[in-house]
């Protein structure tokens, strides 16, 4: 039999009565139902990805175009990231999602070949702003292990796991019938299979000779014309990589025992030299101790000095715990460069793209698992280049994000000026060598503050500096409430105009920061400790227990003392129960604070009778009021950061007062007595509540509130909504017990029904779908603000929605957003601080605080969005004018009220992946796109919307994905993006010299078409690989045509180049003809001169 629940019936009745009252006609004299014209329509919205920033997650391959100066990085998830000059970045994705094992540029052709772990190769067209695949080839019977594309060749060599080499025409992406079989390559030199192909490259001086490295240690020099091996080189250790000397007479191999072998091409018997870079050399002539494998070696020559040998790996096995190293051997010097992360790959950047010329290396690009490092080879000590890309956002794991799309114009220069002083010294003085591509309009406009394609790290703030460092295991921070880093940041609240910043951490602490351009030393960090508990005391005898840190009676100069490092003496301390202890210890020594964000105040929640503090779930700051509010699953605290006092400290149930719809009785696990008093008569204008909630400087108040709590809350308090049940019923006892504060919003509006004048208020949203208003009474500005108490009183206002409250905002009578009141920034450390502040106040526009110019009878609209629905209420009548159920089957993860195209709308991201937009105030659906199913909690934690159609989220632990929901931005995206390919003249080939040309000592060219073409080599087996035409053809043309430099411009450039070459050819032909005429004339003269002479006269 189904259990009957009278409370559900009551809930239903109250819901029905509230919904009927919301549609009732408003009282006369209001203008609530006046139609506000809404300019936003559904055609203004379109969703698309814009740019991706950050370090490529799980990188696996890298390549560089030395002429275009473009770097490509492939990842284990099939992503491609292309980098040019700072501001030129591009992201593309292989459809299969297979790992990229190798990348090869078609140098200066605007194309890239990628080889994937699913045995497919793809040709990417980079001549368009959004690169696309032109051709794909999927191998069916063999696994790809290595690829090589010679410079200025259209034939790609592909080595396989079986030891065979196939050849692909890059233009048509078809296989040649020419195949080098492993058994033909090694013949009788080995009885066993030589293993997979680990290296292929042609002799720099003879394109007809191909060197093939097999994993087992065999290297073969293959003659392409005669189709046989010229030489075979055998070593008893596995090979990892091979590199040529530019003259083609020597090559070097790296091996699995940490050795390098240098071979003369014509001496296959034994290596000319064997080197163990990191091995200890025994004195008795024995082999050195084996070392770790040398995974890659590069051999680069210089005209003026010794060659460079650069290698990764090869360290001795006894160097346990040593960091990964890159070794640079130059002449007699060996430099070991330690890296922070394991090396994935490295490339040496050289002055010439031609392999048969002196290489002249100038830098090494090192791809690490979590970083990209570029080393300057030309300077002593090999300094690194300062990386201009924003690749370090994951320096520690990202836990939350906020996005501000339209900041005050002075904030970016201010942050840049203080951030530039944080930079490390000792970087290379040269310019960043990856400098290809051209900026798009989005990057060019950035200089004027309107562009958004580029991401630049301006400033970094370390909040852990406020706390004591643990010197030994006993002093480690208390991690009883978190398993992760105790300093991890959960929530941020920032006022861009005043530059005030609040940060809430997982250890139940909140730090208030002020921005200053001057360095300052803080002798004592200001500290407040708050007991935010959910248990009512014996109300008959209210005791003044230390609910917050004791404050002196003198309000003019509030002081603070250091936090207690041991449990303070209380009734339960003798039993060893923790009480009054914060999770972290605030630094007691003087704190030197650099220009930038400086600590104003630290607020810590403390243990209460053996129960740990609950993590902060909501946070808000208002610079005009000088207040900061935060809440958790126990209740709400409001802090005056100017007077350094706690104004309000109430359990969530007490905020309701007698109006609690659930009629809950706050209870204690240790006390069975029901409270006989408490804050039970909170009604409009109740004097008792106002007196009770005055600033502690005027009256100390005591309130202990508690409910049974779990000792270990969820790791991310903001994500508790995922684990709890999502039924719309809110009658279970547990849910009532754990009603958390989930949203806070300061506003100048009407806190109570029927009020005539807007005033400062704090609006509080809870996890049970209730919105409560708290009225704030502020003293006059100036001296009075620092001396008189701020009076805080819950107003009794209640608004109910389904699901946890996520976002609140307020509109004026014409539907424009009401920004929270704010103070203009002033320099807090200036000697004449008061004058500075007064100037700032005078500069502040009148419209900042709407209450000053409020018309009588004017109405506001409150916009409230929960996990399930959105409501618009008219104030001060508090009647619901519009309501919209956002989702029935899922729930909203993030909601924001944003400005777009001169209007306002509500944007939502749901757990089922839908992104929605609703008009305001009518809540008409404008956009609903199934964009991104929630696959990771990281996306839920970091997704945020901003103004001007912008949104972002962390798509991987190291990358930010930015998207737009604006049709206008989508249309202009092509112009905004940078161009990867720019027409550049290929450098001239090295001069062969007179004698080399005369005696044939220079580079030997090869007509590969003659060898590999269908007429000579025949057709390859159809079952070996399958050709798949890519989508890049039509899309590429569309993309390029809509870009700034479209196909026509490129065609014109190509024609110009062709015309230039033709004119050069004409000039050369004319010169040759003139030379021939001159020769003919001289020969004729000679003939006439010698015509009549006899043989003995010569």
């Amino acid at each position: 039999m189904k259990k009957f629940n009278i409370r559900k019936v009551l809930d239903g009745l109250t819901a029905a009565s509230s919904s009927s009252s919301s549609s009732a006609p408003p009282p006369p004299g209001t203008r609530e139902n006046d139609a506000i014209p809404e300019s936003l329509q559904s055609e203004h919205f379109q969703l698309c990805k814009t740019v991706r920033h950050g370090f490529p997650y799980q990188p696996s391959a890298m390549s560089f175009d030395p002429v275009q100066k473009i770097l490509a990085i492939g990842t284990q998830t099939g992503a491609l990231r292309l980098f040019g000059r700072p501001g030129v970045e591009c992201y593309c994705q292989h459809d299969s999602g297979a790992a990229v094992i190798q990348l090869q540029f078609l140098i200066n052709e605007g194309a890239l070949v990628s080889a994937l772990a699913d045995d497919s190769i793809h040709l990417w067209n980079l001549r368009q702003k959004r690169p696309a695949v032109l051709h794909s080839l999927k191998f069916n019977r063999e696994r790809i292990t290595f690829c090589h594309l010679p410079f200025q060749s259209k034939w790609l060599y592909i080595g396989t796991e079986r030891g065979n080499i196939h050849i692909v025409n890059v233009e048509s992406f078809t296989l040649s019938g020419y195949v080098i079989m492993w058994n033909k390559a090694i013949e009788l030199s080995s009885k066993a299979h030589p293993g997979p192909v680990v290296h292929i490259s042609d002799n720099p001086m003879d394109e007809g000779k191909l060197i093939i490295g097999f994993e087992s240690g065999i290297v073969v020099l293959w003659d392409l014309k005669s189709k046989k091996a010229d030489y075979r080189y055998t070593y008893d250790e596995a090979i990892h990589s091979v590199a040529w000397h530019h003259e083609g007479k020597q090559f070097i191999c790296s091996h699995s025992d940490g050795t390098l072998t240098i071979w003369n091409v014509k001496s296959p018997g034994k290596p000319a030299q064997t080197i163990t870079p990191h091995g200890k050399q025994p004195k008795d002539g024995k082999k050195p101790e084996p070392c770790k494998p040398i995974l890659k070696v590069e051999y680069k020559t210089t005209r003026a000095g010794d060659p460079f040998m650069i290698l990764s790996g090869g360290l001795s096995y006894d160097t346990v715990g040593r960091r990964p190293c890159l070794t640079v051997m130059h002449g007699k010097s060996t430099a070991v460069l330690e890296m922070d992360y394991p090396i994935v790959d490295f490339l040496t950047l050289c002055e010439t793209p031609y392999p048969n010329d002196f290489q002249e290396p100038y830098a090494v690009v090192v791809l690490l698992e979590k970083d990209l490092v570029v080393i300057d080879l030309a300077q002593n000590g090999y300094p690194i280049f300062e990386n201009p890309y924003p690749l370090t956002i994951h320096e520690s794991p990202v836990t939350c994000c906020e996005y501000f799309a339209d900041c005050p114009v002075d904030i970016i220069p201010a942050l840049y000026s203080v951030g530039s002083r944080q930079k490390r010294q000792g970087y290379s003085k040269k310019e960043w060598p990856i400098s290809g591509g051209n900026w798009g309009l989005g990057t060019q406009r950035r200089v004027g503050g309107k562009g958004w394609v580029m991401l630049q790290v301006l400033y970094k703030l370390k909040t852990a500096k406020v706390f004591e460092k643990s010197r030994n295991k006993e002093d480690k921070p208390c991690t009883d409430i978190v398993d992760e880093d105790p300093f991890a940041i959960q929530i941020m609240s920032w006022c861009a105009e005043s530059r005030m910043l609040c940060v809430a951490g997982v250890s139940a602490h909140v730090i208030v920061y002020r921005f200053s351009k001057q360095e300052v030393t803080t002798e004592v960090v200001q500290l407040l400790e708050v007991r935010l508990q959910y248990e009512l005391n014996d109300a008959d005898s209210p005791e003044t227990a230390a609910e917050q840190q004791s404050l002196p009676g003198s309000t003019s100069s509030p002081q603070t003392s250091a936090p207690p490092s041991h449990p303070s003496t209380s009734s339960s301390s003798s039993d060893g129960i923790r009480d009054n202890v914060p999770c972290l210890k605030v630094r007691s020594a003087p704190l030197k604070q650099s220009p930038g964000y400086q600590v104003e105040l630290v607020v810590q929640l403390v243990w209460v009778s053996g129960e740990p503090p609950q993590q902060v779930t909501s946070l808000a700051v208002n610079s005009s009021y000088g207040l900061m509010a935060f809440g958790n699953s126990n209740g709400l605290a409001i802090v005056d950061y100017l007077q350094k006092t706690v104004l309000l400290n109430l359990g969530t149930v007490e905020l309701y007062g007698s109006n609690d719809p659930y009629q809950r009785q706050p209870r204690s696990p240790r006390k069975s007595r029901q409270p006989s008093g408490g804050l039970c008569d909170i009604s409009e204008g109740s004097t008792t509540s106002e007196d009770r909630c005055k600033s502690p400087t005027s009256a100390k108040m005591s309130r202990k509130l508690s409910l049974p709590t779990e000792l270990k809350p969820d790791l991310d308090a903001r994500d508790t909504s995922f684990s709890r049940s999502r039924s719309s019923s809110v009658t279970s006892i547990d849910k009532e017990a754990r009603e958390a504060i989930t949203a806070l919003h300061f506003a100048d509006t009407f806190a109570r029904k029927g009020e005539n004048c807007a005033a400062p208020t704090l609006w509080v949203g809870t996890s049970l779908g209730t919105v409560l208003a708290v009225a704030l009474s502020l003293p006059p500005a100036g001296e009075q603000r620092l001396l008189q108490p701020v009076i805080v009183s819950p107003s009794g206002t209640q608004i109910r929605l389904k699901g946890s409250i996520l976002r609140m905002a307020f509109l004026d009578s014409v539907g424009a957003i009401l920004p929270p009141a704010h103070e203009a920034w002033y320099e807090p450390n200036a000697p004449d601080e008061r004058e500075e502040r007064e100037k700032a106040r005078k500069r502040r526009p009148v419209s900042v605080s709407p209450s000053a110019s409020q018309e009588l009878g004017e109405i506001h609209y409150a916009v409230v969005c929960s996990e399930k629905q959105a409501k618009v209420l008219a104030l001060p009548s508090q009647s619901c004018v519009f309501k919209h159920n956002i989702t029935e089957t899922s729930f909203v993860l993030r909601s924001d009220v944003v400005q777009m195209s001169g209007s306002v709308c509500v944007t939502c991201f749901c757990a089922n992946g839908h992104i929605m937009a609703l008009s305001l105030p009518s809540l008409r659906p404008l956009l609903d796109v199934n964009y991104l199913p929630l696959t990771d909690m990281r996306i839920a934690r970091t997704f945020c919307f901003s103004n001007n159609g912008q949104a972002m989220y962390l798509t991987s632990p190291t990358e930010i994905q930015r998207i737009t929901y604006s049709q206008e931005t989508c249309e202009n995206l092509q112009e905004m993006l940078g161009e990867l390919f720019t027409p550049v003249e290929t450098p001239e080939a090295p001069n062969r010299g007179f004698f080399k040309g005369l005696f044939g000592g220079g580079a030997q060219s090869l007509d590969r078409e003659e060898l590999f073409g269908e007429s000579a080599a025949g057709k390859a087996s159809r079952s070996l690989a399958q050709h798949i035409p890519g989508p890049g053809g039509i899309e590429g043309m569309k993309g390029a045509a809509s870009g700034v430099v479209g196909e026509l411009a490129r065609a014109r450039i190509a024609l110009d180049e062709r015309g230039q070459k033709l004119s050069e050819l004409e000039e050369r032909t004319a010169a040759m003809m003139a030379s021939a005429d001159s020769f003919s004339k001289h020969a004729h003269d000679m003939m006439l001169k010698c015509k009549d002479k006899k043989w003995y006269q010569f």
Side-chain angles (χ1 to χ4, degrees):
M1 184 179 171
K2 191 176 178 184
K3 195 175 179 182
F4 179 78
N5 192 332
I6 186 70
R7 187 171 286 180
K8 284 190 178 179
V9 177
L10 290 170
D11 281 354
L13 286 169
T14 54
S17 64
S18 66
S19 63
S20 61
S21 65
S22 68
S23 57
T30 61
R31 308 191 298 277
E32 295 167 359
N33 286 359
D34 290 359
I36 292 174
E38 293 179 2
S39 59
L40 284 179
Q41 302 299 326
S42 56
E43 56 263 25
H44 292 121
F45 291 84
Q46 184 184 338
L47 201 68
C48 72
K49 290 180 180 179
T50 53
V51 281
R52 185 173 287 205
H53 303 294
F55 183 77
Y57 183 55
Q58 295 178 326
S60 55
M62 175 171 64
S63 186
F64 183 71
D65 185 325
V67 180
Q68 287 287 324
K69 301 269 198 294
I70 295 285
L71 182 77
I73 295 175
T75 74
Q76 291 177 27
T77 54
L80 266 185
R81 292 284 298 280
L82 296 133
F83 296 93
R85 66 175 65 187
V88 178
E89 282 183 48
C90 183
Y91 159 77
C92 22
Q93 175 74 40
H94 291 92
D95 292 338
S96 67
V100 179
I101 57 172
Q102 206 175 344
L103 295 170
Q104 288 268 299
F105 272 101
L106 277 69
I107 292 171
N108 206 25
E109 296 287 333
L112 175 75
V113 173
S114 58
L116 306 191
D118 65 353
D119 309 308
S120 61
I121 55 170
H122 307 267
L123 179 67
W124 290 84
N125 177 14
L126 308 183
R127 290 181 177 241
Q128 56 197 60
K129 295 205 171 180
R130 293 209 152 185
V133 174
L134 292 171
H135 299 283
S136 297
L137 199 63
K138 178 86 167 70
F139 280 73
N140 299 322
R141 298 203 305 250
E142 298 205 49
R143 311 233 42 198
I144 298 171
T145 55
F146 195 86
C147 298
H148 171 63
L149 181 68
F151 179 44
Q152 294 181 325
S153 165
K154 67 174 184 180
W155 297 95
L156 173 74
Y157 301 107
I158 294 179
T160 68
E161 199 171 47
R162 288 187 187 175
N164 303 326
I165 292 176
H166 301 278
I167 298 162
V168 174
N169 184 323
V170 171
E171 289 175 355
S172 61
F173 246 54
T174 52
L175 271 172
S176 164
Y178 192 113
V179 181
I180 304 172
M181 303 302 286
W182 68 270
N183 52 355
K184 194 91 188 291
I186 66 162
E187 281 189 345
L188 300 174
S189 62
S190 169
K191 292 178 183 177
H193 188 279
V197 175
V198 294
H199 181 83
I200 310 167
S201 60
D202 46 351
N203 186 320
M205 285 296 179
D206 189 351
E207 294 172 351
K209 309 286 188 194
L210 199 66
I211 205 160
I212 306 161
F214 295 98
E215 191 180 61
S216 64
I218 298 173
V219 178
V220 174
L221 187 68
W222 182 264
D223 189 315
L224 289 165
K225 287 180 187 171
S226 63
K227 300 186 182 178
K228 64 181 181 65
D230 279 356
Y231 300 103
R232 296 182 182 89
Y233 314 83
T234 307
Y235 193 71
D236 54 4
E237 290 293 339
I239 287 178
H240 284 279
S241 72
V242 184
W244 278 104
H245 186 281
H246 86 273
E247 289 176 349
K249 293 173 184 174
Q250 277 189 334
F251 62 88
I252 186 168
C253 302
S254 71
H255 299 278
S256 57
D257 64 344
T259 58
L260 297 172
T261 53
I262 299 175
W263 300 79
N264 289 329
V265 169
K266 294 184 178 178
S267 305
K270 65 169 191 172
Q273 194 181 355
T274 304
I275 309 166
T276 311
H278 297 286
K280 292 174 184 171
Q281 297 292 339
K283 290 177 183 176
D284 52 4
K286 289 180 184 174
K287 278 184 80 174
E289 292 174 12
C291 294
K292 294 175 185 174
I294 295 176
L295 301 175
K296 185 174 180 180
V297 64
E298 291 204 344
Y299 196 10
K300 302 295 179 186
T301 52
T302 58
R303 273 191 177 80
D306 296 308
F308 281 87
M309 274 193 277
I310 301 160
L311 54 115
S312 62
L315 290 178
S316 172
Y317 278 107
D318 59 10
T319 53
V320 179
R322 190 165 177 183
R323 294 194 292 181
C325 293
L326 186 83
T327 306
V328 181
M329 299 169 72
H330 183 227
K332 291 181 180 177
S333 73
T334 300
V336 181
L337 309 175
E338 287 194 342
M339 301 292 158
D340 291 334
Y341 306 102
I343 296 170
V344 176
D345 195 4
F346 73 88
L347 291 170
T348 310
L349 308 190
C350 301
E351 298 288 355
T352 177
Y354 293 94
N356 59 353
D357 194 8
F358 284 98
Q359 299 297 287
E360 303 295 347
Y362 59 89
V364 183
V365 181
V366 190
L367 178 63
L368 307 175
E369 278 187 4
K370 293 184 179 178
D371 202 0
L372 182 74
V373 175
V374 184
I375 298 158
D376 185 353
L377 288 180
Q379 270 183 253
N380 289 336
Y382 305 129
I384 63 168
F385 288 86
E386 186 177 2
N387 197 323
Y389 308 133
L391 300 183
T392 56
I393 52 172
H394 64 284
E395 195 172 0
S396 58
V398 178
T399 52
C400 70
C401 293
E402 294 294 338
Y403 189 6
F404 300 87
D406 50 349
C407 301
V409 290
D410 58 346
I411 192 73
I412 290 174
L415 288 170
Y416 182 81
S417 68
V418 294
S420 57
R421 302 183 206 179
Q422 296 179 329
K423 289 180 180 172
R424 288 191 328 180
Q425 302 299 313
Y427 287 115
S428 168
K429 295 184 172 56
K430 292 184 181 170
E431 285 191 12
W432 182 249
I434 304 161
S435 55
N438 275 329
W439 286 347
L441 287 178
T443 319
Q444 290 166 15
R445 285 185 192 169
R446 181 189 148 276
V447 182
K450 295 182 180 176
W452 46 264
V453 171
M454 188 171 172
L455 185 74
Q456 184 178 0
V457 177
L458 294 172
Y459 174 76
K460 186 165 65 176
L461 174 65
K462 292 185 177 178
T463 61
K465 284 184 178 177
V466 179
F467 302 103
E468 295 281 6
K469 285 182 181 173
S470 55
R471 289 183 178 82
N472 52 40
K473 288 182 182 178
E474 288 75 31
D475 285 348
K476 273 198 172 177
C478 161
T479 54
D480 289 353
I481 67 165
V482 282
D483 291 340
E484 56 193 300
D485 190 319
F487 305 116
I489 292 165
Q490 270 189 310
I491 317 173
M492 298 177 289
S493 178
W494 187 51
C495 173
E497 286 80 7
S498 66
R499 305 180 193 172
M500 290 297 298
L501 172 68
C502 281
V503 173
V506 293
S507 298
H509 62 272
V510 179
I511 311 172
V512 183
Y513 288 95
R514 253 188 216 283
F515 186 84
S516 170
K517 291 181 179 177
Q518 297 180 16
E519 188 176 290
V520 68
T521 300
T522 307
E523 293 299 323
V524 179
V525 174
Q526 302 274 358
L527 172 69
L528 284 176
E529 290 182 357
V530 179
R531 287 171 73 96
L532 195 56
Q533 201 189 0
Y534 214 60
E535 170 192 359
L536 271 182
N537 243 358
D538 295 341
D540 301 333
S541 56
E543 57 190 18
T544 55
E547 163 202 342
Q548 78 248 358
Q549 180 161 333
S550 57
L551 290 150
S554 162
T555 54
S556 56
S557 59
Q559 300 166 4
T560 54
S561 61
S565 56
H566 53 84
S568 50
T569 50
S570 63
S571 59
S572 55
S573 62
S574 57
D575 305 333
I577 296 172
R578 283 187 164 191
D579 193 53
N580 260 16
V581 184
C583 296
L584 298 173
K585 190 175 179 183
V586 171
R587 189 182 163 120
S588 52
L591 178 64
K592 186 180 177 182
Q593 304 202 69
S594 305
Y597 276 100
Q598 299 172 351
V599 181
E600 172 89 355
L601 176 68
V602 178
V603 181
Q604 287 184 293
L605 294 178
V606 295
W607 286 66
V608 179
S609 306
E611 288 184 5
Q614 298 297 305
Q615 292 177 1
V616 175
T617 53
S618 55
L619 179 68
V621 65
N622 187 287
S623 58
S624 177
Y625 308 160
L627 302 180
M628 180 267 290
F630 64 92
N632 63 8
S633 55
N634 284 345
L636 169 72
I638 303 176
V639 172
D640 181 341
Y641 64 76
L642 297 176
Q643 294 190 28
K644 313 287 189 291
T645 54
V646 178
L647 302 176
L648 182 78
N649 179 5
L650 282 183
T652 318
V653 178
E654 284 211 319
L655 283 170
Y656 287 93
S658 57
N659 302 331
D660 185 0
Y662 307 107
Q663 298 300 309
R664 286 167 293 190
Q665 293 294 322
R667 57 207 166 92
S668 162
R670 287 177 296 281
K671 295 182 183 178
S672 55
R673 266 176 72 179
Q674 291 292 332
S676 57
L679 202 65
C680 52
D681 50 340
I682 296 178
S683 56
E684 295 177 29
S686 161
T687 50
T688 54
S689 63
E690 287 197 6
D691 292 342
R692 205 176 278 240
C693 301
K694 276 183 184 175
S695 162
T697 49
S698 56
K700 287 187 184 178
M701 60 181 201
S702 164
R703 183 138 267 100
K704 280 191 180 179
L705 301 162
S706 179
L707 268 179
T709 60
E710 309 135 355
L711 286 175
K712 280 243 178 187
D714 291 343
L715 279 182
D716 192 337
R718 297 186 85 179
D719 298 331
T720 50
S721 51
F722 282 82
S723 53
R724 61 187 171 80
S725 159
R726 297 223 154 257
S727 69
S728 56
S729 161
V730 283
T731 55
S732 84
I733 296 300
D734 287 340
K735 280 190 175 182
E736 291 167 18
R738 307 301 300 162
E739 184 174 11
I741 307 294
T742 55
L744 293 166
H745 188 87
F746 285 102
D748 276 17
T749 187
F750 309 97
R752 299 179 176 90
K753 258 188 193 176
E755 272 188 343
N756 294 326
C757 190
T761 55
L762 171 65
W763 291 73
V764 182
T766 76
S767 57
L768 295 190
T770 308
V771 176
L772 305 160
V774 177
L776 309 170
S777 176
L778 298 167
E783 282 287 321
Q784 297 297 310
R785 173 65 186 84
L786 298 173
L787 296 171
Q788 293 184 22
V790 176
I791 297 171
V792 180
S793 51
S795 65
T797 294
Q798 267 188 45
I799 300 162
R800 303 293 314 285
L801 279 81
K802 279 185 199 169
S804 178
I805 304 297
L806 297 177
R807 188 69 55 195
M808 296 172 282
F810 294 87
L811 310 179
D812 62 15
S813 54
V814 294
I817 200 158
L818 275 174
H822 61 78
E823 183 176 71
W825 177 78
Y826 62 91
E827 175 55 64
N829 296 323
D832 45 354
E833 185 186 324
R834 282 183 194 168
E835 286 178 34
E836 183 87 17
R837 199 164 172 177
E838 285 308 311
K839 279 181 197 170
R841 284 187 185 282
K842 284 170 188 168
R843 283 198 302 269
R844 197 172 73 191
V846 182
S847 61
V848 167
S849 180
S851 58
S853 58
Q854 203 63 237
E855 293 175 26
L856 283 175
E858 181 164 355
I859 62 164
H860 289 171
Y861 293 97
V863 182
V864 186
C865 187
S866 77
E867 291 175 332
K868 294 283 184 182
Q869 61 180 190
K871 277 188 181 179
V872 175
L873 299 104
L875 300 179
S877 71
Q878 295 183 9
S879 58
C880 177
V881 286
F882 297 105
K883 183 168 86 172
H884 178 76
N885 289 326
I886 300 168
T887 175
E888 294 295 335
T889 54
S890 184
F891 54 95
V892 179
L893 288 166
R894 173 78 186 213
S895 176
D896 286 289
V897 176
V898 295
Q899 291 173 299
M900 193 179 114
S901 305
S903 193
V904 191
C905 63
V906 179
T907 49
C908 306
F909 172 53
C910 294
N912 60 8
H914 282 250
I915 289 178
M916 304 178 187
L918 307 170
S919 70
L920 282 176
S922 68
L923 298 176
R924 272 182 305 114
L926 298 169
L927 174 77
D928 186 352
V929 177
N930 187 1
Y931 169 71
L932 179 80
L934 184 67
T935 52
D936 200 315
M937 283 299 305
R938 178 184 59 254
I939 297 169
R941 268 206 305 264
T942 58
F943 199 104
C944 49
F945 295 96
S946 189
N947 294 336
N948 305 334
Q950 302 289 322
M952 62 166 269
Y953 59 94
L954 222 69
T955 185
S956 74
T958 63
E959 293 168 290
I960 290 172
Q961 178 66 58
R962 289 162 80 175
I963 61 174
T964 182
Y965 48 91
S966 156
Q967 166 71 28
E968 185 186 1
T969 307
C970 286
E971 283 180 358
N972 297 327
L973 187 58
Q974 286 296 131
E975 291 187 10
M976 294 286 186
L977 296 175
E979 283 189 280
L980 288 165
F981 180 77
T982 49
V984 180
E985 192 79 31
T986 303
E988 280 190 23
N991 193 354
R992 292 171 69 186
F994 175 74
F995 289 106
K996 282 188 177 178
L998 195 62
F999 300 112
Q1004 302 292 311
S1005 61
L1006 171 76
D1007 188 350
R1008 294 187 177 95
E1009 186 70 44
E1010 192 182 307
L1011 273 176
F1012 307 143
E1014 198 175 309
S1015 57
K1019 286 189 175 179
S1021 166
R1022 284 193 176 182
S1023 60
L1024 182 62
Q1026 176 191 357
H1027 177 257
I1028 306 158
I1034 300 165
E1035 282 181 21
M1037 287 186 66
K1038 279 183 189 168
S1042 58
V1044 182
V1045 181
E1047 204 62 61
L1048 283 169
R1050 290 205 183 92
R1052 196 189 70 243
I1053 291 163
L1055 280 170
D1056 288 348
E1057 283 179 359
R1058 199 171 296 161
Q1060 197 177 336
K1061 283 177 182 170
L1062 281 170
S1063 63
E1064 284 175 13
L1065 192 62
E1066 277 177 25
E1067 284 170 17
R1068 280 190 204 151
T1069 310
M1072 283 170 75
M1073 283 174 72
S1075 173
D1077 284 346
S1078 170
F1079 182 75
S1080 166
K1081 190 180 171 189
H1082 282 300
H1084 186 69
D1085 291 347
M1086 198 75 168
M1087 187 264 293
L1088 289 174
K1089 194 175 177 183
C1090 305
K1091 186 179 178 185
D1092 299 324
K1093 287 188 178 181
K1094 304 293 182 188
W1095 64 270
Y1096 53 82
Q1097 291 177 313
F1098 284 103

